[in-house]
Amino acid sequence: VSQSRYSHIMYRDGEALTETSLKQLQDKFPNQLLRIHRNTLVVADRVYGISRSAEGHHHILLRDCPEQPEISRRELARVRELIGES
């Protein structure tokens, strides 16, 4: 998750801040990271589906992670295509 000039990285055993931008991370790991929102990347091989809230918002489902980050409308079609959902 990006917060101003820092990127907030969350992982199984903790979290960290880095000055590396999300764009730089995505460029460095194009096959491992999936953009789901302008300020959110997820590890692609952790994705197992998409859920939809009662309010109509779409969220990514991640293996071994209770968080369900929101997918932006802009990224939804591409995310669906990449994970094989129509």
Side-chain angles (χ1 to χ4, degrees):
V1 176
S2 179
Q3 298 175 347
S4 67
R5 64 177 244 208
Y6 294 99
S7 294
H8 181 198
I9 300 171
M10 296 170 46
Y11 52 96
R12 181 181 292 166
D13 297 322
E15 53 189 80
L17 283 178
T18 179
E19 289 188 22
T20 305
S21 72
L22 293 184
K23 173 88 170 95
Q24 290 170 319
L25 289 169
Q26 192 172 26
D27 288 347
K28 187 171 182 173
F29 304 103
N31 298 320
Q32 292 89 1
L33 297 175
L34 174 62
R35 184 172 294 273
I36 64 165
H37 197 280
R38 69 177 176 84
N39 64 358
T40 308
L41 299 173
V42 297
V43 176
D45 69 358
R46 292 285 190 191
V47 175
Y48 70 89
I50 296 172
S51 69
R52 186 173 177 170
S53 70
E55 298 83 23
H57 300 278
H58 291 86
H59 299 267
I60 200 87
L61 301 174
L62 302 168
R63 257 188 295 295
D64 302 321
C65 180
E67 301 290 326
Q68 293 184 3
E70 187 172 342
I71 304 168
S72 70
R73 289 181 295 170
R74 178 182 202 162
E75 299 293 342
L76 183 59
R78 197 172 70 75
V79 170
R80 280 185 166 152
E81 179 183 320
L82 289 171
I83 68 170
E85 284 194 8
S86 53

